[in-house]
Amino acid sequence: FCFIIQAVAYEYRKKPGNVFGQRTYEIFLFINGSLGIILIGTALGTLFTGGNFIVNEMHLSHWTKQSYGLEAVLTFFNVAFGLMLFFLARVQAALYFLNNINEPHITSRARIVIKYEGGIFLILFFYIVAAILTMQGYGYNASGVVHPEAYKYLHNFLAMPAVAVLFVAGAVLVVWGMFLGAFTQRKRGIWFSGFGTVFVVIALFLILGYNHTAYYPSLADMQSSLTIENSSGSEYTLMAMGYVSLMVPFVLAYIVAVWRVMDRKPIDIDEVQNDAHHY
């Protein structure tokens, strides 16, 4: 819902004769840019903390509480995960502004965001990392029986050193990009922070699902927990998805080409005011 109203708001915010007025659409943008990201992060946090659901013999799942999973917002870890993503998104946006906008007032504000909100992000990030490394996870054996395991995600990092290196490298790149944006006059911090974010996210998803780990634990019935093995599609589905994935390089090339055209020249106030679509 948050992302739907965002798309509408971008199109109609300043169009003449819009029904609700400019202020309403600006509120829509604020809701999406804050609540939307926080809720996504809260949902992602449940991949570590689990949810109250059961999978029956027909492989159909259902919630076991009347709140239908929304109780996730009552778990501090989940909300902290969402807030971490929120502040990371703001820092990434500020780094992008530094790299692509040629307007001193905006770039000076962006550096302030990176410095102070980046600090909040780092506090939340260190908390999330410490919680993940010390929390109980759920593994499963060759027969598919799920069992609790203390320090499961720490064990996953130790069992997959390449993933641990990827995670640490990503974290260092994120911090270095933030440092460049906050304490130097260099504008390329987004490249370090952007790639670092991708590395960290990939590493987190790998420790969630690899090394015989239940990537979505069930708090209602441990054996209903989702794993890569018990929740994969059929061979036909996986084969089709495999062929479709061969198109990824072409999609990536298209994205790179479009963004190069968009960012070829830094945005300035004259371009915004004289653009035919500046509304």
Side-chain angles (χ1 to χ4, degrees), residues 191-259:
W191 291 98
F192 297 98
S193 184
F195 280 108
T197 299
V198 173
F199 294 164
V200 169
V201 171
I202 291 175
L204 286 178
F205 278 121
L206 288 176
I207 65 165
L208 267 172
Y210 273 22
N211 196 37
H212 292 88
T213 307
Y215 68 83
Y216 195 9
S218 171
L219 303 178
D221 174 27
M222 188 186 309
Q223 301 311 317
S224 292
S225 300
L226 301 184
T227 70
I228 289 179
E229 294 187 23
N230 69 17
S231 62
S232 292
S234 65
E235 183 178 355
Y236 174 83
T237 302
L238 295 176
M239 183 71 70
M241 293 173 62
Y243 284 122
V244 171
S245 68
L246 297 177
M247 300 176 60
V248 169
F250 299 99
V251 176
L252 182 61
Y254 170 78
I255 294 173
V256 170
V258 170
W259 277 92

Side-chain angles (χ1 to χ4, degrees), residues 15-247:
K15 271 194 172 180
N18 69 62
V19 177
F20 300 109
Q22 177 178 331
R23 183 60 178 168
T24 299
Y25 290 111
E26 290 175 350
I27 293 174
F28 287 171
L29 291 175
F30 177 80
I31 291 174
N32 174 71
S34 54
L35 184 61
I37 296 175
I38 293 172
L39 291 177
I40 287 178
T42 301
L44 289 174
T46 64
L47 297 180
F48 290 97
T49 58
N52 292 284
F53 64 91
I54 289 179
V55 180
N56 61 25
E57 303 80 20
M58 301 297 293
H59 300 288
L60 299 175
S61 61
H62 62 87
W63 298 106
T64 59
K65 289 191 174 183
Q66 295 281 335
S67 51
Y68 295 96
L70 295 179
E71 69 275 4
V73 299
L74 301 178
T75 301
F76 181 78
F77 176 90
N78 297 339
V79 177
F81 204 102
L83 290 172
M84 178 188 69
L85 284 193
F86 169 69
F87 285 106
L88 174 62
R90 287 182 59 84
V91 170
Q92 294 282 63
L95 288 169
Y96 177 80
F97 291 165
L98 285 180
N99 189 61
N100 296 88
I101 296 180
N102 187 20
E103 178 59 37
H105 177 64
I106 294 178
T107 54
S108 63
R109 289 181 60 189
R111 293 189 190 280
I112 294 174
V113 169
I114 297 168
K115 183 180 297 184
Y116 293 102
E117 300 194 22
I120 299 174
F121 159 74
L122 288 177
I123 293 173
L124 291 168
F125 178 73
F126 289 137
Y127 162 75
I128 292 297
V129 172
I132 289 174
L133 295 180
T134 56
M135 70 169 45
Q136 173 183 279
Y138 293 84
Y140 61 95
N141 57 28
S143 301
V145 177
V146 179
H147 56 85
E149 180 179 334
Y151 304 104
K152 175 58 177 172
Y153 303 109
L154 174 60
H155 294 163
N156 286 355
F157 273 127
L158 296 176
M160 300 181 290
V163 176
V165 171
L166 183 68
F167 181 84
V168 172
V172 170
L173 286 174
V174 170
V175 174
W176 179 243
M178 292 168 53
F179 174 81
L180 293 179
F183 299 104
T184 75
Q185 294 302 309
R186 296 176 65 180
K187 298 183 176 183
R188 300 291 183 180
I190 183 62
W191 291 98
F192 297 98
S193 184
F195 280 108
T197 299
V198 173
F199 294 164
V200 169
V201 171
I202 291 175
L204 286 178
F205 278 121
L206 288 176
I207 65 165
L208 267 172
Y210 273 22
N211 196 37
H212 292 88
T213 307
Y215 68 83
Y216 195 9
S218 171
L219 303 178
D221 174 27
M222 188 186 309
Q223 301 311 317
S224 292
S225 300
L226 301 184
T227 70
I228 289 179
E229 294 187 23
N230 69 17
S231 62
S232 292
S234 65
E235 183 178 355
Y236 174 83
T237 302
L238 295 176
M239 183 71 70
M241 293 173 62
Y243 284 122
V244 171
S245 68
L246 297 177
M247 300 176 60

